[in-house]
Amino acid sequence: MFFRYLLKGWAQYPIGFVLNGLSLALAVAVYVAVQCVNESAHRAFVASVNVVAGRADTEVVNPSGMLPEENYLAVIRHPDVKAATPILERFATLTDFPNEYLRVVGVDFFSNAEFATVATRSFTPGDESLAEQFLSVANGILISDKLARRLNIRQGAELGLQTSEGVKRAKVIAIYKLTETWVGADEHIAVMDIAHAQDFFGYVGQLSRIDIIRHEGVTLESLSKTLQPYLTAGSRIQEPLRRTERLSQMTEAFRLNLIALSLVAMLVTVFLIYNTTTAMVARRYYEIGIWRALGASRGKIMRAFIAEAVFLALIATMLGLPLGYFLSRALIEQASQTISSLYVTVNIQEIFFPSEQAAVALSLAVLAALAGAWLPARQASSVEPVKALQPAHIRLAARQHIPSWTLVGFLLIGASLECARYSERYGPQWLSFGTALFLLLGVSFLCPLIFWVILKVAKIFPATFWRLGMEQFELAFTRNVILAGSIVCVLAMVVGIMIMVSSFRVTVNQWILQTVRADLYISPVSASTIGSQEILPQKAVEKLRQLISDDRIDLYREVSVEYGERAVRLAAIRFDIAAERGGIRFLDQERRKQARPELLKEAAEKGWIIASESFARRHKVRARHRIRLLTPGGEKVFRIAGIFQDYTSESGLILMDRKTYQEYWNDDSISSVAIYLPPEESIEEFKTKIRDVMKEYGTFTIQSNRELRRQVMKIFDQTFAITHLLQVITMLICGVGVYLNVLVHGFERSRIVAALRALGASRFQILKVYTWETLLLAVVSVVVGVAAGYGLAWVLAEVINKVFFGWTINLIWPRKELLVVSLSGIAVVMIAVWMAAWRVGRRSIAQAMKVD
C-alpha cells in the first residue's frame, strides 16, 4: 500500500520522475552502445576469420612473412593431420571504385571442400560449369552479394585491382551469399583459385598460411611437437582463435577507455538520484510522519523508498536498452574507422546486441539507483512523527558531517595517488582508471568543506537579498553540495578530456612538423583504409627513381611482427636519408629530444634498431638493450641504438635500416615513398611528372607535406569523435539533473517563498534570491570542476595514457575552450534556476502556504 502511495507521489510530480528516469536511461544507453560497438567489432573479425577458415582447428603461419609452398607438402603428409588446405590472402584497391578494396583469398578448390568455407559453399552441387570457370579462368574471382549490391557489380563484370605488378583486371565469375553463418563478416572478402591468385599478385610459391583439421584426439601441443621440425624456420602452429585473441589484445586499450567513459555517465546519475530522492523525502516529510504515527516501521518505509528507486531503474533500463542500440549505430562507423586506422582492418557490417550485457546494464542501473537512494531512504526511515507533524519543512543541514566527509575526500585522493603509482609500476592496466575515479570522488567529498568555508565568507556581505540567498543555500546544504558534486564530476570529465585531447593534438602536430619533412609522399590509395597491407608496384618505384637522385628518395616498408606474444609494427627506412634530413629525434634520460645523425649512421652500419617510446615503456627496454625479434629465418638478436618519439601506434614501432631488413626478411616490397625535392623544383609540377610515369601501373595517392599533415590530423580528430559524442551525452544527463533538482528544490521551499511574498517581496526580488544562491553554486562548482578537470587531465596524460599507450603528452592550457566551457556551465545552471523559479513563482500564496 505504501509503495502504491509512493508511485502516486511520482504521478503528482511527473517531471521529477520523467527527467530522473531519462537521465538514468541515457546513462544505460551510453553503456549499452559502447558494449554493442565492442561486440560488433569482435564478431565482425571472428566472422571474417570463419569465412575463410571454416572448420579449421589449427593453422600454420609465419608471423614475420610468407610461408614457402613446400610447407604444405610436409603438413598434408603428416599422420596427425586429417585435412589441410593452402591459403594466400592479399588486399587490393578497386581502381574503378574510389576508397574501395578487396580482401582477396586464394584457396585450393579441392582440398578446401573439407573445410566448408565460402569457396565450397558458393557452388551449387552439380554446377560443373561454374566450378570449371573458377579453376580455368586465370583472373576469375568471387565477390560477396552485399558488396555487389552496394557497388552495382554484376556477374561477368571485370574489376580493376591494384597489384604489386600494376593494375590487373579480374572477372567476376560468381557472387556468393554471406549467409547467417557469417553474419557480420566483411563484405570485401573475395575468393580466387590459389594458383591463379599467386600468379595474379606475384606470389608464386608463397602462402599466407595453411589451414588444418586435426584427427580426433590429437592435441595442438602434440601436433606442434611432431610437425614443427618439418617446417621452415619462423613458422608457427596455432589455433585460428589466436588471431581473434590478437585483436582483443591490440584493441584492449580502445575498448576499456570507451567503457570507462560510459561508466562516468552512470556515476553522475548516482548524484542525481540522491538529490531527487532526498527532495522527494523532503516533500513527503509530513506524510511520512503520519505513516510513522499510524505504526509503519522504519524498515517498511526504507524498503518502500528503495523499491521506488529500483522501479525507476527498471523503467530506465527498458528505455535505455533500445536507445543504446540506436546510439551504437551512430558510433559504429567511427569505431570501425578508428580500429582499422590504429590496429587491424575491420569492416563492421552488422550491429550485435550482446544479450548478457542487458543484465549487466540492469545491474548497473539498479546499483546506481540503490547507491543514490540509500542515504535518503535511511533519512526517511528515521523521521520522528512528533517533529514531522509540525508544519515546518525539513532542514537538511549536514555541517556536522563536514569533518568526516573531508577525511573521506582526502583518503580518496590518497587512494588515487596510490593507484597511479601501483598501476604504473606493477599493473594491471585497468587499475589506472581507479586513479581517475578516486580523484573525482575525492574532489566531490571535499565540496562540503569548500562550500562551508565560502559560505562563511559570503555571509559577511550585508546585502539583503544576497544574505537571503546564502541562508537558503544553507537550509538545503546537503542537497546543494551533492548537486555541486555532480556538476564538478561532469565538468571535470569534460575539461579533463578537453585538455588532454587539445594537448595531445598540439603534441602530435609538433611531432609531425619535426618528423614529416619530405616534400611529397606516395602510397597506395587504400593506405588510409587498410594501412600498409597493400604495396607499391616495383616497376612503378623504378620509374619514380629515374626522376630524382637516390639521395632524395626514402623507401618505407611496414610489417607486423611479434614480440613478447604481442604484435608490434616494424618499419624499414633508409637511415642515411633520416640522418641527412634530421626527421628523427632521440630521447635522452631526461626525455629531451635531440637529433643524432651519427647514431643513425652507426645503426645502419651495425644492423642496430631504434624503438619508439611506447615500445620502450610497454616492454621496459632502454637504449643499448638487446631484444629478440622473430624473422622469417627464426629469432634474431638486435641491439636498440636509441629511443624516439612516435604517435602512430600504441603497440609500439621499431625502425630498422632498409638494408638490414632486406637481409633478414628477404623482402623488397615498398609500402610508401617519401621524396625530398631540390629547392628549385615545383611541388605541383613534380606531382604531374609522377602521375605521368606511374599512371600505367595504377592510381596512387600523391600528397604534399601539408596535405599529409592535414590527413593525419583528420584521422586524429576522427579517433576522438566517439569521445566527444559521449561527452555531449554526459553533459545532457547532468543538465537534465540540474534542472530537475533545482525545480524540486524550489517546490519544496515554496512555503518560504510564499511567506516572503506575503510580506511584500515581488517575484523579481524572489528571483534575485534564487539568482544569488545559484550563482554561488554555479561559480564555485565550475571553478572546482575546472581545477579538478586539470587534475584529471594530468591523470589521463601521465597515468592512463602512459600505462596504456606509453606516449608523452605535454599538457597545455586551452584558455578559450576553458572559458567557453566555464561560461556554458554557469549559463546552464542559471537558466535551469530561472526556469524553476518561474514555475515556482506561478503558485498562489494561499496554495503554497498550505501543508502538503
Side-chain angles (χ1 to χ4, degrees), residues 40 43-45 47-48 146 178-180 182-187 347-350 352:
S40 300
R43 291 204 186 186
F45 189 80
S48 299
K146 285 187 176 181
L178 282 171
T179 64
E180 63 278 358
W182 305 314
V183 173
D186 188 356
E187 64 178 11
N347 191 271
I348 304 175
Q349 301 287 321
E350 301 286 341
F352 290 95

mmCIF file of all heavy atoms in Angstrom, residues 40 43-45 47-48 146 178-180 182-187 347-350 352:
data_model
loop_
_atom_site.group_PDB
_atom_site.id
_atom_site.type_symbol
_atom_site.label_atom_id
_atom_site.label_comp_id
_atom_site.label_asym_id
_atom_site.label_seq_id
_atom_site.Cartn_x
_atom_site.Cartn_y
_atom_site.Cartn_z
ATOM 1 N N SER A 40 30.332 -5.811 -31.709
ATOM 2 C CA SER A 40 30.193 -5.845 -33.171
ATOM 3 C C SER A 40 31.556 -5.925 -33.851
ATOM 4 O O SER A 40 31.736 -6.664 -34.826
ATOM 5 C CB SER A 40 29.433 -4.606 -33.653
ATOM 6 O OG SER A 40 28.142 -4.559 -33.092
ATOM 7 N N ARG A 43 32.864 -9.542 -33.300
ATOM 8 C CA ARG A 43 32.175 -10.547 -34.123
ATOM 9 C C ARG A 43 32.475 -10.372 -35.605
ATOM 10 O O ARG A 43 32.533 -11.348 -36.350
ATOM 11 C CB ARG A 43 30.663 -10.464 -33.882
ATOM 12 C CG ARG A 43 30.257 -10.935 -32.501
ATOM 13 C CD ARG A 43 28.819 -11.393 -32.512
ATOM 14 N NE ARG A 43 28.335 -11.715 -31.193
ATOM 15 C CZ ARG A 43 27.143 -12.247 -30.964
ATOM 16 N NH1 ARG A 43 26.325 -12.506 -31.977
ATOM 17 N NH2 ARG A 43 26.762 -12.508 -29.736
ATOM 18 N N ALA A 44 32.636 -9.127 -36.031
ATOM 19 C CA ALA A 44 32.974 -8.903 -37.444
ATOM 20 C C ALA A 44 34.313 -9.544 -37.773
ATOM 21 O O ALA A 44 34.475 -10.161 -38.828
ATOM 22 C CB ALA A 44 33.014 -7.402 -37.731
ATOM 23 N N PHE A 45 35.266 -9.402 -36.870
ATOM 24 C CA PHE A 45 36.586 -10.009 -37.098
ATOM 25 C C PHE A 45 36.486 -11.529 -37.071
ATOM 26 O O PHE A 45 37.048 -12.214 -37.931
ATOM 27 C CB PHE A 45 37.566 -9.524 -36.031
ATOM 28 C CG PHE A 45 38.993 -9.913 -36.308
ATOM 29 C CD1 PHE A 45 39.766 -9.200 -37.205
ATOM 30 C CD2 PHE A 45 39.549 -11.006 -35.680
ATOM 31 C CE1 PHE A 45 41.071 -9.564 -37.467
ATOM 32 C CE2 PHE A 45 40.853 -11.383 -35.932
ATOM 33 C CZ PHE A 45 41.622 -10.657 -36.828
ATOM 34 N N ALA A 47 33.817 -13.433 -37.637
ATOM 35 C CA ALA A 47 33.074 -13.913 -38.803
ATOM 36 C C ALA A 47 33.937 -13.893 -40.053
ATOM 37 O O ALA A 47 33.889 -14.809 -40.880
ATOM 38 C CB ALA A 47 31.817 -13.063 -39.012
ATOM 39 N N SER A 48 34.757 -12.852 -40.197
ATOM 40 C CA SER A 48 35.646 -12.769 -41.358
ATOM 41 C C SER A 48 36.689 -13.875 -41.323
ATOM 42 O O SER A 48 37.065 -14.422 -42.361
ATOM 43 C CB SER A 48 36.329 -11.393 -41.387
ATOM 44 O OG SER A 48 35.378 -10.356 -41.504
ATOM 45 N N LYS A 146 26.634 -8.660 -50.787
ATOM 46 C CA LYS A 146 26.465 -7.325 -50.208
ATOM 47 C C LYS A 146 27.277 -6.284 -50.963
ATOM 48 O O LYS A 146 26.789 -5.197 -51.267
ATOM 49 C CB LYS A 146 26.874 -7.349 -48.736
ATOM 50 C CG LYS A 146 25.873 -8.024 -47.812
ATOM 51 C CD LYS A 146 26.276 -7.838 -46.361
ATOM 52 C CE LYS A 146 25.239 -8.421 -45.432
ATOM 53 N NZ LYS A 146 25.596 -8.239 -44.012
ATOM 54 N N LEU A 178 26.583 -14.069 -48.294
ATOM 55 C CA LEU A 178 27.004 -14.088 -46.893
ATOM 56 C C LEU A 178 25.829 -14.576 -46.059
ATOM 57 O O LEU A 178 24.930 -13.819 -45.692
ATOM 58 C CB LEU A 178 27.436 -12.689 -46.444
ATOM 59 C CG LEU A 178 28.824 -12.238 -46.893
ATOM 60 C CD1 LEU A 178 29.032 -10.772 -46.584
ATOM 61 C CD2 LEU A 178 29.907 -13.065 -46.239
ATOM 62 N N THR A 179 25.796 -15.876 -45.781
ATOM 63 C CA THR A 179 24.666 -16.484 -45.074
ATOM 64 C C THR A 179 24.696 -16.154 -43.595
ATOM 65 O O THR A 179 25.586 -15.476 -43.094
ATOM 66 C CB THR A 179 24.701 -18.009 -45.259
ATOM 67 O OG1 THR A 179 25.902 -18.508 -44.641
ATOM 68 C CG2 THR A 179 24.716 -18.382 -46.730
ATOM 69 N N GLU A 180 23.685 -16.684 -42.879
ATOM 70 C CA GLU A 180 23.602 -16.432 -41.444
ATOM 71 C C GLU A 180 24.798 -16.999 -40.691
ATOM 72 O O GLU A 180 25.096 -16.592 -39.568
ATOM 73 C CB GLU A 180 22.305 -17.036 -40.877
ATOM 74 C CG GLU A 180 22.189 -18.541 -40.979
ATOM 75 C CD GLU A 180 21.712 -19.003 -42.358
ATOM 76 O OE1 GLU A 180 21.446 -18.148 -43.214
ATOM 77 O OE2 GLU A 180 21.623 -20.220 -42.562
ATOM 78 N N TRP A 182 27.795 -16.477 -41.436
ATOM 79 C CA TRP A 182 28.857 -15.459 -41.470
ATOM 80 C C TRP A 182 28.296 -14.062 -41.211
ATOM 81 O O TRP A 182 28.797 -13.082 -41.769
ATOM 82 C CB TRP A 182 29.562 -15.479 -42.815
ATOM 83 C CG TRP A 182 30.104 -16.823 -43.202
ATOM 84 C CD1 TRP A 182 30.820 -17.671 -42.408
ATOM 85 C CD2 TRP A 182 29.963 -17.477 -44.464
ATOM 86 N NE1 TRP A 182 31.143 -18.814 -43.100
ATOM 87 C CE2 TRP A 182 30.639 -18.719 -44.386
ATOM 88 C CE3 TRP A 182 29.358 -17.136 -45.663
ATOM 89 C CZ2 TRP A 182 30.707 -19.615 -45.433
ATOM 90 C CZ3 TRP A 182 29.424 -18.018 -46.717
ATOM 91 C CH2 TRP A 182 30.088 -19.249 -46.593
ATOM 92 N N VAL A 183 27.255 -13.959 -40.384
ATOM 93 C CA VAL A 183 26.670 -12.652 -40.115
ATOM 94 C C VAL A 183 27.731 -11.722 -39.528
ATOM 95 O O VAL A 183 28.412 -12.064 -38.571
ATOM 96 C CB VAL A 183 25.482 -12.781 -39.143
ATOM 97 C CG1 VAL A 183 24.986 -11.392 -38.730
ATOM 98 C CG2 VAL A 183 24.365 -13.569 -39.787
ATOM 99 N N GLY A 184 27.854 -10.560 -40.138
ATOM 100 C CA GLY A 184 28.829 -9.579 -39.668
ATOM 101 C C GLY A 184 30.162 -9.646 -40.370
ATOM 102 O O GLY A 184 31.035 -8.811 -40.126
ATOM 103 N N ALA A 185 30.350 -10.646 -41.251
ATOM 104 C CA ALA A 185 31.634 -10.782 -41.939
ATOM 105 C C ALA A 185 31.854 -9.621 -42.906
ATOM 106 O O ALA A 185 30.908 -8.985 -43.382
ATOM 107 C CB ALA A 185 31.690 -12.103 -42.695
ATOM 108 N N ASP A 186 33.116 -9.367 -43.189
ATOM 109 C CA ASP A 186 33.500 -8.265 -44.063
ATOM 110 C C ASP A 186 33.006 -8.521 -45.482
ATOM 111 O O ASP A 186 33.324 -9.550 -46.087
ATOM 112 C CB ASP A 186 35.025 -8.131 -44.053
ATOM 113 C CG ASP A 186 35.501 -6.876 -44.776
ATOM 114 O OD1 ASP A 186 34.661 -6.166 -45.349
ATOM 115 O OD2 ASP A 186 36.717 -6.640 -44.765
ATOM 116 N N GLU A 187 32.233 -7.592 -46.021
ATOM 117 C CA GLU A 187 31.695 -7.743 -47.370
ATOM 118 C C GLU A 187 32.778 -7.653 -48.441
ATOM 119 O O GLU A 187 32.541 -8.001 -49.591
ATOM 120 C CB GLU A 187 30.634 -6.678 -47.633
ATOM 121 C CG GLU A 187 31.182 -5.265 -47.626
ATOM 122 C CD GLU A 187 30.139 -4.213 -47.925
ATOM 123 O OE1 GLU A 187 28.944 -4.547 -47.946
ATOM 124 O OE2 GLU A 187 30.528 -3.052 -48.139
ATOM 125 N N ASN A 347 35.892 -4.299 -40.875
ATOM 126 C CA ASN A 347 34.766 -3.624 -41.514
ATOM 127 C C ASN A 347 33.498 -4.120 -40.842
ATOM 128 O O ASN A 347 33.056 -5.245 -41.078
ATOM 129 C CB ASN A 347 34.746 -3.924 -43.016
ATOM 130 C CG ASN A 347 33.761 -3.045 -43.759
ATOM 131 O OD1 ASN A 347 32.594 -3.404 -43.888
ATOM 132 N ND2 ASN A 347 34.207 -1.908 -44.253
ATOM 133 N N ILE A 348 32.928 -3.301 -39.972
ATOM 134 C CA ILE A 348 31.768 -3.723 -39.184
ATOM 135 C C ILE A 348 30.514 -3.583 -40.028
ATOM 136 O O ILE A 348 30.130 -2.479 -40.409
ATOM 137 C CB ILE A 348 31.659 -2.892 -37.895
ATOM 138 C CG1 ILE A 348 32.961 -2.988 -37.093
ATOM 139 C CG2 ILE A 348 30.491 -3.366 -37.051
ATOM 140 C CD1 ILE A 348 32.990 -2.109 -35.861
ATOM 141 N N GLN A 349 29.893 -4.717 -40.321
ATOM 142 C CA GLN A 349 28.732 -4.745 -41.200
ATOM 143 C C GLN A 349 27.408 -4.784 -40.432
ATOM 144 O O GLN A 349 26.407 -4.274 -40.904
ATOM 145 C CB GLN A 349 28.805 -5.988 -42.115
ATOM 146 C CG GLN A 349 30.049 -6.043 -42.983
ATOM 147 C CD GLN A 349 29.998 -5.038 -44.114
ATOM 148 O OE1 GLN A 349 28.955 -4.823 -44.705
ATOM 149 N NE2 GLN A 349 31.115 -4.419 -44.407
ATOM 150 N N GLU A 350 27.401 -5.434 -39.273
ATOM 151 C CA GLU A 350 26.172 -5.625 -38.518
ATOM 152 C C GLU A 350 26.362 -5.140 -37.080
ATOM 153 O O GLU A 350 27.459 -5.196 -36.536
ATOM 154 C CB GLU A 350 25.777 -7.114 -38.496
ATOM 155 C CG GLU A 350 25.563 -7.730 -39.874
ATOM 156 C CD GLU A 350 24.269 -7.281 -40.524
ATOM 157 O OE1 GLU A 350 23.383 -6.804 -39.777
ATOM 158 O OE2 GLU A 350 24.144 -7.408 -41.746
ATOM 159 N N PHE A 352 25.613 -5.938 -33.327
ATOM 160 C CA PHE A 352 25.267 -7.054 -32.463
ATOM 161 C C PHE A 352 24.956 -6.523 -31.069
ATOM 162 O O PHE A 352 25.710 -5.725 -30.519
ATOM 163 C CB PHE A 352 26.412 -8.067 -32.388
ATOM 164 C CG PHE A 352 26.619 -8.836 -33.658
ATOM 165 C CD1 PHE A 352 27.553 -8.414 -34.595
ATOM 166 C CD2 PHE A 352 25.872 -9.971 -33.922
ATOM 167 C CE1 PHE A 352 27.742 -9.116 -35.763
ATOM 168 C CE2 PHE A 352 26.053 -10.674 -35.090
ATOM 169 C CZ PHE A 352 26.991 -10.247 -36.016
#
